[in-house]
Amino acid sequence: MSSRRGFLRNFLAGAGLFASAEVLSAQEMNMSQGLGEIQLKRNGYKETSGHTRGIPVPVQTPDAPDLPFRMDGNVKEFHLIAEPVKQEIVPGRVVDLWGYNGSAPGPTIQITQGDRVRIIVDNHLPEPTAMHWHGFEVPYDMDGSPGASQDPIAPGGRFVYEFTLNQEGTYFYHSHMAMQEMMGMIGAFIMHPKESYHPRVDQDFVVVMQEYAILPNINVPNSMNMEFNWLTFNGKSGPATTPLIVRHGERVRIRLINLGMDHHPIHLHGHQFVVTGTEGGRQPESTWGPGNTVLVGVAQSRDVEFVANNPGDWMLHCHLPHHMMNQMSSNVGPMSRRPGMPAGESMEQGVGMPRGGSATSEQNGPSLGRGMGVGSTAEKPTPNSPLKTGSPLQHQEMSGMQMSAPDLSKNANSVPGFPQDAFMEGPMMAMDEMVDKPENYGLRPGWSGFMGGMMTFVRVLPPDQYDHIMELRQKQNGVKPPQQTPAMEHNHE
């Protein structure tokens, strides 16, 4: 038993499955209850207690933590803290968001159908908040509707939610103060069925989609904005997103959750999938139909499932063109090919809103940032492009970027509309080394130059490459892989 506990302690710490060592003993004690008694395949290692057949695998939320719990009798008790957080969405771009327990999105909660749960919510924000359990069938006074079912939670205050959950599926929690949602306050809440769905999956992932409007030189989102320049999967923008790693031949579920201002058509390369669930739970199999793009509307979730039978590094992304970019602004086409870009304009002029003259006149071009807007500040040109305007083959230096001469025609600068490819002009140059992690091992050199916004990979790998990445992940986390024994092996389902 002690060796089993040692394995679980090392495994769970390395996988990041539970964030708090203080509750680990409680988690271990509950390995025979619900989610704990599972196939531990998250890091490439398997274990069975003799009762694992039919038990759902736990979900993985790349780049976001799971929320630990403690048992109080027969109640699973969770603790959520609403607070400001600093989030690095891509290397070097740290923004001020609001989230839960130091993360935006907040940590993923996983429970089993039929569980009694208690969720303690502390408000460390400078204003009132309230927590809504999206789609939950709970008593009215636990719904989290401020002004209706409860008073808002005051700054420094606490509210304890407690209910029994008889649903199953992909749900989520979020602040029910509208603008707080746009500051990042959402998290996944997964209700596993008592027995796994049929057909059973080998890998189960959660992807939470969020979007922010953050002006240059500003770290705080404009929650009132209707256009967004930073789009994230689980709090990261490509290429900083962590790929979903699966073995060739495994059945995979991806749970997509959207809470923002835009709908997102999510497309998977190389495979056809079926939509098996919504924010209301599992769909009847009679409704399943093949596809490779699913529209995830605001306040919706969609579960897609497929067999990873096509080896490769397949893109998974929102197919709205501007959602595959970082810091999208007026810097494509002729605007970025002028001798310079004025700095210090007002906000209106900075986004190209004319005050005089035609919309394309020189004085109404885009400017960088929000300066004083007085005197001669607008007359100081600041280059907007990593390519010098004199020649499409001359590069300016940009720290940390792996730039090489682009493949352009000699008359590129004279072609109307050039340039349009953001990898040449914007902040999306290749940064493979800056986003290096075990899950990126083996990707084609320069891959990161073509990834931005809501983009990641589903990497369908042969067993040896999959195992190698899992070993690299273990080493990174400082966890020694357990020695395989016959008791820890079982047949693949």
Side-chain angles (χ1 to χ4, degrees):
M1 182 65 179
S2 60
S3 62
R4 172 177 166 82
R5 281 199 174 188
F7 163 71
L8 289 172
R9 185 178 298 277
N10 287 339
F11 173 81
L12 295 174
L17 189 57
F18 303 113
S20 173
E22 296 178 357
V23 298
L24 192 55
S25 59
Q27 296 290 352
E28 293 171 356
M29 286 190 295
N30 286 286
M31 290 305 287
S32 62
Q33 301 180 27
L35 288 178
E37 202 167 36
I38 54 176
Q39 297 177 23
L40 296 176
K41 299 182 2 174
R42 181 165 180 167
N43 277 5
Y45 301 102
K46 307 172 186 177
E47 184 178 50
T48 178
S49 65
H51 301 282
T52 57
R53 293 184 67 85
I55 302 300
V57 297
V59 300
Q60 306 171 51
T61 314
D63 300 313
D66 276 304
L67 187 64
F69 65 90
R70 62 179 292 271
M71 292 302 300
D72 181 12
N74 65 344
V75 179
K76 287 183 177 177
E77 184 175 279
F78 298 86
H79 188 189
L80 280 169
I81 301 173
E83 61 184 354
V85 301
K86 288 190 178 295
Q87 185 104 348
E88 186 176 55
I89 52 180
V90 293
R93 189 63 167 111
V94 178
V95 295
D96 291 295
L97 306 177
W98 289 5
Y100 300 97
N101 297 46
S103 177
T108 296
I109 297 175
Q110 301 189 52
I111 63 97
T112 300
Q113 185 180 19
D115 279 346
R116 180 78 176 176
V117 301
R118 178 183 303 128
I119 306 170
I120 302 169
V121 178
D122 285 333
N123 182 13
H124 291 183
L125 298 173
E127 64 185 37
T129 190
M131 185 75 82
H132 175 56
W133 313 101
H134 195 97
F136 289 27
E137 297 171 358
V138 296
Y140 175 65
D141 58 354
M142 294 287 106
D143 182 62
S145 300
S149 65
Q150 70 171 81
D151 292 330
I153 309 172
R158 168 178 288 187
F159 195 96
V160 179
Y161 300 87
E162 186 168 334
F163 34 71
T164 299
L165 294 169
N166 295 309
Q167 297 165 266
E168 42 74 28
T170 303
Y171 299 89
F172 47 100
Y173 61 90
H174 63 84
S175 166
H176 214 274
M177 315 292 273
M179 294 300 97
Q180 292 179 7
E181 297 175 16
M182 297 305 300
M183 287 290 289
M185 302 189 70
I186 180 179
F189 198 118
I190 307 303
M191 303 185 202
H192 292 276
K194 293 180 180 179
E195 294 188 1
S196 61
Y197 298 123
H198 179 78
R200 188 179 188 278
V201 298
D202 302 288
Q203 303 271 8
D204 200 339
F205 299 96
V206 177
V207 175
V208 179
M209 292 168 277
Q210 294 170 284
E211 52 200 327
Y212 304 102
I214 309 175
L215 291 170
N217 302 318
I218 299 295
N219 295 330
V220 181
N222 178 355
S223 59
M224 293 292 290
N225 207 307
M226 299 296 287
E227 295 184 1
F228 309 93
N229 54 354
W230 289 100
L231 292 296
T232 64
F233 278 169
N234 293 338
K236 298 287 186 181
S237 293
T241 49
T242 297
L244 315 185
I245 308 297
V246 303
R247 289 188 186 91
H248 181 222
E250 288 187 316
R251 185 173 179 86
V252 180
R253 178 185 299 121
I254 303 176
R255 305 169 186 256
L256 304 160
I257 297 173
N258 177 22
L259 187 67
M261 288 292 293
D262 289 322
H263 305 317
H264 299 292
I266 302 300
H267 174 58
L268 174 63
H269 291 208
H271 295 81
Q272 308 303 315
F273 57 61
V274 292
V275 178
T276 60
T278 72
E279 70 281 354
R282 188 76 166 178
Q283 293 191 164
E285 192 168 345
S286 60
T287 67
W288 298 2
N292 49 62
T293 305
V294 58
L295 183 63
V296 187
V298 173
Q300 290 183 339
S301 71
R302 292 291 182 269
D303 297 351
V304 301
E305 296 179 21
F306 61 97
V307 175
N309 56 10
N310 194 1
D313 302 319
W314 302 106
M315 288 186 175
L316 176 73
H317 62 92
C318 177
H319 220 290
L320 289 175
H322 286 187
H323 293 188
M324 294 183 280
M325 304 177 186
N326 292 335
Q327 184 52 42
M328 181 61 188
S329 57
S330 301
N331 65 352
V332 295
M335 288 183 175
S336 68
R337 306 309 293 170
R338 292 176 178 149
M341 190 178 193
E345 295 279 17
S346 66
M347 182 174 68
E348 289 79 10
Q349 289 174 293
V351 296
M353 297 174 63
R355 286 186 171 180
S358 69
T360 57
S361 63
E362 187 71 27
Q363 66 266 32
N364 287 322
S367 70
L368 284 176
R370 296 169 63 179
M372 297 296 291
V374 296
S376 61
T377 55
E379 299 173 4
K380 298 176 182 178
T382 302
N384 178 43
S385 169
L387 300 176
K388 295 180 180 179
T389 57
S391 167
L393 297 179
Q394 290 181 293
H395 283 248
Q396 295 176 351
E397 294 297 326
M398 292 184 68
S399 175
M401 302 297 182
Q402 305 160 213
M403 294 185 294
S404 58
D407 186 10
L408 303 175
S409 63
K410 293 182 178 180
N411 68 334
N413 283 332
S414 65
V415 177
F418 172 80
Q420 291 296 326
D421 244 341
F423 89 96
M424 292 188 300
E425 291 291 305
M428 290 174 54
M429 291 345 151
M431 55 176 71
D432 297 8
E433 295 182 2
M434 298 174 67
V435 295
D436 186 38
K437 63 187 72 173
E439 293 82 358
N440 294 340
Y441 174 82
L443 288 173
R444 186 186 181 112
W447 65 271
S448 60
F450 299 86
M451 301 284 287
M454 289 180 172
M455 299 187 75
T456 190
F457 285 113
V458 175
R459 303 193 65 190
V460 180
L461 304 174
D464 57 343
Q465 189 173 352
Y466 177 95
D467 290 342
H468 182 62
I469 288 179
M470 295 303 108
E471 290 173 4
L472 292 175
R473 182 188 285 175
Q474 290 278 359
K475 292 178 181 178
Q476 183 184 61
N477 293 329
V479 177
K480 184 179 180 180
Q483 183 178 358
Q484 293 289 328
T485 66
M488 294 170 58
E489 297 174 355
H490 62 85
N491 294 327
H492 174 70
E493 288 188 309

